[in-house]
Amino acid sequence: MGAERHILILGGTTEARRLAGELDALPGLRVTTSLAGRVAQPRLPAGQVRIGGFGGPSGLARWLREQQVDALIDATHPFAGTISFNAAQAAAEVHVPLLAVRRPGWVAGPGDDWHDAGSLEEAAAALPALGERVFLTTGRMGLATFAHLDGLWFLVRSVDAPEPPAPPRMEVLLDRGPFTVEAERELIRRHRIDVLVTKDSGAAATAAKLTAAREAGIPVVVVRRPPAPPGVTTACGPADAVRWLRRHLALPGA
């Protein structure tokens, strides 16, 4: 039997955990998942786990060389733009094959009242004209962008407690998906929400809020994804990623 092939997954998403579980079960592979460390108690995947940054593209390239990585899979959140560009640069420098796993974005349907925003700043600027009681689901890292909106009330949902600066009128809800339509419907009703703000993260785990917003007839401000690195091969899920790896590493079942 040949030497183990080392796979590095840039993780932190449901897809990354599923992929790590599938690859860890395959013979001849050593799987390492790298987590950014922004969540205090992350859900850990199968295989080896490292937590923390690499120190930019040069640091990642050095790690790829030192750890003899055979393939790099970027399965980070669609809004984790910096690490995706770092991965593309490092993979090109070290000549390691790179795949980006990108879940499809959400698409508005009949009855949806969606308002497009190119950034959190654009989303904040749009809010005063859309409502007064905001359900903010964009995460704790960008909360400062909304801190000046003292005329609005915010229900802020995040995995970990946010830090200031923050809107002066807000309630924090610490929770982690997946969420159900019934629960989202009740949140909107109980807090009298009249506008929702979300990032186009895609996937089903957090899509229930969109259905609940449609049913309630409230507008949704949807922040567009940042641009992806050009020329990187993409897959829409773990199954496609496994097939890609089998082909590129000549694994059994290719």
Side-chain angles (χ1 to χ4, degrees), residues 25 40 137 240:
T137 64
D240 286 342

Side-chain angles (χ1 to χ4, degrees), residues 85-223:
F85 277 87
N86 289 351
Q89 185 174 334
E93 179 180 332
V94 185
H95 303 292
V96 167
L98 168 65
L99 177 73
V101 177
R102 290 290 177 261
R103 63 182 74 152
W106 290 319
V107 178
D112 284 322
D113 180 15
W114 287 12
H115 298 256
D116 183 71
S119 64
L120 290 179
E121 289 75 15
E122 285 188 20
L127 281 179
L130 295 175
E132 296 180 353
R133 297 183 65 83
V134 184
F135 186 13
L136 187 63
T137 64
T138 55
R140 64 187 177 91
M141 303 303 292
L143 195 55
T145 307
F146 302 87
H148 67 287
L149 297 172
D150 53 9
L152 307 183
W153 180 88
F154 289 83
L155 175 63
V156 176
R157 182 165 66 193
S158 64
V159 175
D160 294 320
E163 298 179 353
R169 301 172 60 213
M170 75 170 185
E171 178 177 332
V172 176
L173 175 62
L174 300 182
D175 205 353
R176 189 198 306 253
F179 305 105
T180 66
V181 174
E182 291 75 16
E184 301 290 61
R185 186 186 295 134
E186 174 60 19
L187 272 182
I188 290 174
R189 184 200 65 77
R190 185 168 73 249
H191 294 283
R192 307 192 314 279
I193 299 298
D194 55 17
V195 59
L196 167 68
V197 183
T198 184
K199 293 177 177 178
D200 180 18
S201 58
T206 57
K209 61 192 171 188
L210 301 174
T211 301
R214 182 190 314 125
E215 293 177 352
I218 65 174
V220 180
V221 180
V222 181
V223 181

Side-chain angles (χ1 to χ4, degrees), residues 60-79:
L60 177 54
R62 182 168 57 253
W63 200 93
L64 294 175
R65 288 194 193 96
E66 292 174 351
Q67 300 298 320
Q68 298 181 325
V69 171
D70 295 285
L72 174 60
I73 300 181
D74 173 15
T76 55
H77 192 277
F79 282 81

Side-chain angles (χ1 to χ4, degrees), residues 9-10 13 18 20 23 42 66 78 88 104 111 144 147 164 187 192 195-196 202 208 220 226 230 234 238 247-248 254:
I9 300 173
L10 304 177
T13 60
R18 286 174 48 201
L23 295 180
E66 292 174 351
L187 272 182
R192 307 192 314 279
V195 59
L196 167 68
V220 180
T234 60
R247 292 194 305 271
H248 276 74

